[in-house]
């Protein structure tokens, strides 16, 4: 699996590349796949290159297990519109944007190959035969344990794992975790320092995630809806997004991010490293 610098929002591939984004996503995912393997088996074998992961080919369940610890993003927009039930889950009254839920809620979504993902309840997932009831119950348990592990790692590094999503499948008949884990594309992070004070004052929270890009697009009247034009991205904004991705990597992993040489041939490097890794597996 090769991870590029492309970026999407609202299920739309944007016409820009974020420098080093692919490396950040690949390395964070590899870090957490290795550090959550005691909770659930996963597809990861090794990461022979900063942009690439070698893993097992799995048969996916086409459901994203979204788990939310705070009322943010899509959940907040639904809540603000007056909806108190999301994916079959009853949400408490009287919450403000970014408030913490009494306990994390799981709000699954379909994994659409084309168009937008759609909310779906646990009951509908089982009734439609997307995931067998026994597997779904196990997947829910894995989702809560993974979120608890990710939340602990974030808090230890001065962050809050606001919400995230996991995907699951089967490898040789065994239930396993697939795709990315706790990356800024699949998760939202707030800075822990000052969170409560900003919430009390009704101020916007400081964050490290792709939600920063979504909010910028919303301000530019783009949410991926028909007839909406994708705005142009200023160079300074693209650079800012890149720096946020790198900052999140360093905070979460405790590792220093080393920028590659601008004159390097990334495709050649990736090809050589992956080829060598595959030799060891053959």
């Amino acid at each position: 699996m090769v991870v590029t610098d492309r970026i999407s929002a609202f299920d739309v591939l944007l016409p820009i590349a974020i420098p080093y984004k692919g490396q950040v996503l690949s390395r964070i995912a590899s870090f957490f796949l290795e550090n959550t393997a005691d909770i659930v088996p996963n597809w990861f074998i090794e990461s022979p290159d900063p942009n690439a992961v070698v893993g097992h080919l799995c048969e996916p369940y086409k459901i994203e297990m979204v788990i939310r610890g705070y009322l943010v993003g899509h959940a907040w927009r639904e809540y603000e519109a007056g909806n108190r039930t999301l994916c079959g889950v009853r949400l408490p009254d009287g919450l403000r944007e970014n408030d913490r839920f009494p306990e994390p809620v799981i709000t699954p979504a379909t994994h659409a190959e084309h168009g937008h993902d759609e909310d779906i309840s646990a009951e509908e997932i089982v009734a439609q035969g997307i995931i067998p009831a026994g597997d779904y119950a196990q997947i829910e348990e894995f989702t809560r344990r993974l979120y608890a592990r990710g939340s602990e790692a974030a808090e230890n590094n001065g962050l809050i794992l606001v919400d995230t999503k996991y995907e699951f499948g089967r490898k040789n008949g065994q239930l396993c975790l697939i795709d990315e884990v706790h990356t800024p594309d699949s998760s939202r992070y707030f800075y822990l320092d000052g969170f409560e004070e900003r919430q009390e004052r009704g101020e916007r929270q400081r964050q490290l995630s792709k939600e920063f890009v979504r909010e910028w697009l919303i301000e530019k009247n783009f949410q991926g809806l028909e007839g909406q034009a994708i705005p142009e991205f200023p160079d300074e904004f693209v650079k800012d997004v890149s720096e946020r991705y790198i900052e999140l990597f360093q905070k979460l992993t405790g590792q220093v991010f080393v920028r590659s040489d601008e004159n390097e041939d990334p495709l050649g490097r990736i090809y050589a490293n992956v080829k060598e890794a595959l030799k060891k597996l053959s």
Side-chain angles (χ1 to χ4, degrees):
M1 181 77 73
V2 176
V3 189
T4 73
D5 291 342
R6 296 182 303 174
I7 186 169
S8 64
F10 303 112
D11 300 313
V12 176
L13 183 62
L14 303 176
I16 57 169
I18 305 299
Y20 305 110
K21 173 181 177 288
Q23 293 188 28
V24 167
L25 263 62
S26 179
R27 293 175 68 181
I28 288 178
S30 298
F31 179 86
F32 279 108
L33 285 166
E34 291 185 289
N35 284 276
T36 59
D38 61 314
I39 296 175
V40 54
N42 62 58
W43 71 287
F44 181 82
I45 296 176
E46 69 167 309
S47 178
D49 183 90
N51 282 87
V53 176
V54 174
H56 298 279
L57 179 63
C58 304
E59 183 178 352
Y61 284 130
K62 295 185 179 181
I63 290 292
E64 294 184 350
M65 295 296 288
V66 181
I67 183 165
R68 306 176 185 275
Y70 298 76
L71 184 57
V72 179
H74 169 66
W76 166 247
R77 290 188 283 272
E78 289 292 314
Y79 193 91
E80 189 179 32
N83 299 322
R84 291 297 179 269
T85 301
L86 185 63
C87 302
V89 178
R90 176 68 187 178
L91 304 179
D93 290 318
L95 296 180
R96 302 167 300 169
E97 184 177 14
N98 302 330
D99 273 352
R100 185 174 184 172
F101 288 120
E103 62 178 43
V105 299
I106 295 177
T107 58
T110 59
H111 190 68
E113 294 184 9
H114 304 285
H116 295 278
D117 298 340
E118 295 183 359
D119 293 337
I120 189 170
S121 69
E123 292 74 17
E124 289 171 324
I125 290 171
V126 173
Q128 294 178 24
I130 301 173
I131 302 178
D135 280 6
Y136 186 81
Q138 186 69 70
I139 285 171
E140 272 208 346
E141 180 184 347
F142 287 147
T143 296
R144 294 190 184 280
R145 291 176 63 190
L146 288 165
Y147 181 71
R149 177 70 58 82
S151 296
E152 180 182 19
E155 186 173 345
N156 288 342
N157 291 286
L159 297 170
I160 296 171
L161 178 56
V162 178
D163 58 20
T164 190
K165 64 95 177 172
Y166 306 107
E167 296 187 41
F168 297 87
R170 284 197 166 274
K171 176 182 66 178
N172 298 325
Q174 182 183 43
L175 195 62
C176 64
L177 178 66
I178 63 175
D179 201 57
E180 58 189 340
V181 179
H182 299 155
T183 73
D185 275 22
S186 65
S187 317
R188 291 183 180 89
Y189 290 92
F190 287 158
Y191 289 92
L192 179 61
D193 182 42
F195 171 82
E196 295 293 347
E197 292 80 1
R198 283 188 291 275
Q199 199 63 5
E200 285 297 318
R201 295 192 294 264
E203 297 176 358
R204 295 179 69 175
Q205 292 294 339
R206 297 174 60 234
Q207 60 177 292
L208 275 176
S209 67
K210 197 168 71 170
E211 185 66 11
F212 166 67
V213 177
R214 295 188 192 97
E215 290 181 350
W216 184 85
L217 288 167
I218 290 172
E219 290 175 359
K220 304 294 183 182
N221 299 312
F222 180 80
Q223 296 185 59
L225 302 177
E226 187 175 351
Q228 293 183 334
I230 301 175
E232 292 188 11
F233 290 82
D235 291 343
E236 281 302 310
F237 179 78
V238 172
K239 180 181 177 181
D240 191 15
V241 175
S242 178
E243 292 300 324
R244 288 182 182 228
Y245 271 84
I246 292 170
E247 180 185 352
L248 180 61
F249 167 81
Q250 296 186 145
K251 280 185 173 293
L252 281 178
T253 67
Q255 301 172 13
V256 175
F257 187 87
V258 179
R259 290 167 169 80
S260 56
D261 186 342
E262 291 183 1
N263 297 319
E264 182 184 45
D265 171 21
L267 291 180
R269 186 202 72 216
I270 293 168
Y271 180 83
N273 288 337
V274 171
K275 184 178 179 181
E276 190 64 30
L278 294 179
K279 280 183 183 177
K280 293 187 294 183
L281 295 175
S282 59

